[in-house]
Amino acid sequence: MEEMVVEEIQELLEKENDKALKQYLDQLNISDVEELIDELPQHAAKFIETLSLNRAVNVFRILDFPTQERIIKKLSGNKLNQIIKDLPPDDRTALFSELKGDVVKKMITLLPPEERKESLALLGYKEDSIGRLMTPDYIAVKPEWSITRVLAHIRRYGKNSETIDVVYVINKDGVLLDDIRIREVLLADPEAIIGELTDKRFIALKANDPQEDAINIFRMNNRVALPVVDEHNILLGIVTVDDILWIANEEYTEDMHKIGGTEALDEPYLDIPIFKLVKKRAGWLIVLFLGEMLTATAMQHFEIELEKAVVLSLFIPLIMSSGGNSGSQASTLIIQAMALGEVTIAEWWRVMRRELVSGALLGIILGTIGFVRIVTWQELHLYNYGPHWLLIATTIFFTLVGIVLWGSLIGSMMPIILKKLRLDPATSSAPFVATMVDVTGIVIYFSVAVLILKGVLL
């Protein structure tokens, strides 16, 4: 949003020139009005109030929930009623699901009987289910109808439909028989029967399935809308790609928060209260801190070895960070691959085989660098590792091979195990995997040291 535009709007607001403000707002794109609300959030309700109903609805539906909630509190009763009534059922359901119960109850009573019934039905589905996304506004026809009758039906009811790109063929019981693209209908003989165009090869979503499933199905099938059915294959509604893009963005943001080792934020970062932000982050930090305390316990177990060979303590940070880094890399790669549908639970063995090879090769690379570093420092007299420096270098080499391999295996398997347990794979975040590898890394390091240096330094 250009600064000049914002200044002109502010000037109109100060002069309370509502007529000029409406004319100015009507010239802006819907996305520009949204940006304007972001720039001047204190006047958000005023902008929505000033806009024509159709444009107000289109702006309101693309705003984030905290902004919608602020607008609802300030908007006049008449305008609010009109917006709620004109919101598409799926957007209305999304709004109701975020609002507090008493507010929802009040708003539902404002709806006409038929729309009230739709909203209550949609709210009956679980919060993260596909049922919450669907809209009952679609074009459905019977298989015995002619193309002429189908086109007449579309002209009559298409205006109130979420999309007319696809026509849904249902039988007398409401069972979905097929979905046909509007292109095929337009190109067909007017006297042809719509049932003759069906091949019964359609893709449908299940109302009670998770929304993440819908994201993957849309991604794989390149569709603008998909039908939603119940367990008896009865058509309940449709889900359009705009809703899926919105959900995909929310899922991606949530996963990024979890991968970073924090709870998902339900508000923009700069809008969330500081104490709520601390609460979101503190839980995971405490869990990770308690996990890292096990590292100290593991080191205490090898206290005697450390006293005998103090030089080994120099490499502890190197060993721990290498294992944690390899584990974080692997977990991030697998979480992303699972989100894109590239890796499934059934392919765990293929993932493990790849990580065994790649982890071993990465370990050899880092181990060689560590070995060369010790040899170089010793030969150039930059540091004296003692008479058994070659054995120490060998210890570091094999430890790095082992811990990088172990980190890769842990990082790649954790998301798959969590998915198998019906938990969110993103929970196996980089900090979580790194903490696990840190603890086991100490055990691997000193176990290798005891094997190689026993009878010499230990």
Side-chain angles (χ1 to χ4, degrees):
M1 177 64 62
E2 294 181 13
E3 191 173 335
M4 186 173 67
V5 173
V6 176
E7 289 175 358
E8 289 178 15
I9 292 290
Q10 283 181 311
E11 189 177 333
L12 292 174
L13 287 166
E14 288 170 8
K15 292 179 179 178
E16 297 185 357
N17 191 339
D18 291 351
K19 186 177 179 181
L21 178 65
K22 186 179 188 312
Q23 290 176 342
Y24 202 113
L25 291 176
D26 284 342
Q27 295 173 5
L28 299 176
N29 293 325
I30 296 299
S31 56
D32 292 332
V33 179
E34 182 201 13
E35 286 184 38
L36 186 62
I37 289 174
D38 286 339
E39 291 283 341
L40 303 169
Q42 69 276 26
H43 298 295
K46 178 70 174 178
F47 296 143
I48 297 294
E49 189 79 54
T50 305
L51 287 167
S52 63
L53 179 59
N54 185 51
R55 285 173 61 79
V57 169
N58 286 327
V59 172
F60 185 83
R61 69 195 292 259
I62 62 173
L63 298 173
D64 57 52
F65 172 69
T67 306
Q68 289 179 331
E69 191 174 27
R70 286 197 296 269
I71 290 172
I72 286 170
K73 290 176 181 176
K74 295 182 180 179
L75 211 57
S76 69
N78 184 48
K79 190 76 170 189
L80 178 59
N81 292 354
Q82 291 177 323
I83 289 175
I84 295 301
K85 288 176 185 176
D86 281 33
L87 273 176
D90 50 345
D91 292 314
R92 191 190 304 138
T93 302
L95 175 64
F96 285 177
S97 65
E98 293 283 359
L99 290 168
K100 292 176 182 175
D102 53 339
V103 180
V104 175
K105 201 181 299 180
K106 184 179 178 182
M107 287 191 171
I108 286 179
T109 60
L110 301 174
L111 297 172
E114 196 60 37
E115 292 184 16
R116 189 184 310 160
K117 186 178 175 183
E118 285 177 359
S119 295
L120 289 170
L122 290 171
L123 284 168
Y125 293 101
K126 289 186 292 184
E127 185 175 350
D128 295 322
S129 68
I130 291 171
R132 283 293 186 97
L133 293 178
M134 69 181 182
T135 174
D137 295 335
Y138 55 86
I139 296 293
V141 298
K142 300 295 174 59
E144 64 272 14
W145 288 7
S146 68
I147 297 297
T148 301
R149 183 176 178 183
V150 168
L151 291 173
H153 185 76
I154 292 172
R155 291 189 193 99
R156 184 175 181 183
Y157 297 104
K159 189 179 290 185
N160 297 322
S161 176
E162 183 90 358
T163 176
I164 59 169
D165 292 346
V166 184
V167 175
Y168 300 93
V169 183
I170 59 173
N171 67 13
K172 59 183 177 60
D173 297 317
V175 173
L176 179 64
L177 302 177
D178 206 351
D179 58 352
I180 301 175
R181 296 177 192 242
I182 192 67
R183 180 175 181 272
E184 296 176 50
V185 177
L186 294 173
L187 295 177
D189 186 325
E191 300 305 317
I193 302 301
I194 191 74
E196 295 172 359
L197 302 181
T198 63
D199 57 14
K200 298 189 177 179
R201 290 187 299 174
F202 61 88
I203 299 160
L205 304 170
K206 298 291 185 182
N208 291 311
D209 284 353
Q211 293 173 358
E212 284 186 42
D213 291 358
I215 297 171
N216 292 329
I217 293 170
F218 266 88
R219 184 186 293 119
M220 300 297 289
N221 292 281
N222 191 28
R223 303 295 294 272
V224 295
L226 282 174
V228 181
V229 298
D230 64 10
E231 62 273 15
H232 302 298
N233 214 38
I234 291 174
L235 181 62
L236 301 174
I238 63 171
V239 172
T240 51
V241 72
D242 58 324
D243 294 316
I244 291 301
L245 290 172
W246 186 271
I247 291 298
N249 180 61
E250 285 188 341
E251 291 289 338
Y252 175 78
T253 303
E254 184 178 323
D255 285 350
M256 288 304 100
H257 290 155
K258 288 180 179 178
I259 287 172
T262 183
E263 288 183 42
L265 304 182
D266 46 15
E267 297 177 54
Y269 173 79
L270 292 176
D271 292 343
I272 191 168
I274 190 69
F275 290 109
K276 192 174 181 181
L277 181 63
V278 170
K279 184 181 176 182
K280 292 278 187 182
R281 296 170 65 178
W284 266 111
L285 281 177
I286 292 169
V287 170
L288 295 172
F289 179 74
L290 293 173
E292 289 290 1
M293 287 175 70
L294 295 174
T295 306
T297 304
M299 289 182 68
Q300 289 169 8
H301 184 72
F302 293 101
E303 187 176 0
I304 297 171
E305 285 77 5
L306 268 174
E307 288 175 356
K308 290 181 180 178
V310 179
V311 70
L312 293 177
S313 63
L314 298 174
F315 301 99
I316 289 175
L318 173 74
I319 300 297
M320 289 172 65
S321 63
S322 297
N325 290 340
S326 67
S328 301
Q329 272 189 342
S331 69
T332 303
L333 287 172
I334 299 303
I335 290 169
Q336 179 69 359
M338 291 178 75
L340 295 174
E342 299 170 353
V343 170
T344 63
I345 298 173
E347 294 172 305
W348 69 271
W349 176 238
R350 287 184 63 194
V351 173
M352 179 177 278
R353 279 187 302 178
R354 291 177 69 86
E355 287 303 316
L356 278 169
V357 176
S358 60
L361 291 174
L362 290 168
I364 290 170
I365 292 170
L366 295 186
T368 302
I369 294 171
F371 185 91
V372 170
R373 193 265 192 196
I374 293 173
V375 172
T376 303
W377 258 240
Q378 185 70 30
E379 293 295 329
L380 294 177
H381 305 293
L382 295 174
Y383 190 86
N384 182 17
Y385 292 102
H388 304 293
W389 59 270
L390 193 57
L391 288 176
I392 292 172
T394 304
T395 300
I396 297 304
F397 173 81
F398 283 109
T399 299
L400 283 169
V401 172
I403 197 168
V404 171
L405 174 58
W406 175 245
S408 297
L409 287 174
I410 288 289
S412 61
M413 289 297 106
M414 276 299 296
I416 295 175
I417 292 170
L418 288 173
K419 185 73 173 179
K420 179 70 176 175
L421 297 173
R422 299 185 182 279
L423 300 173
D424 189 349
T427 308
S428 59
S429 59
F432 182 70
V433 170
T435 300
M436 286 186 64
V437 177
D438 284 351
V439 177
T440 51
I442 291 295
V443 177
I444 292 172
Y445 180 29
F446 284 103
S447 298
V448 172
V450 168
L451 285 173
I452 295 175
L453 300 173
K454 191 172 184 179
V456 181
L457 283 176
L458 301 178

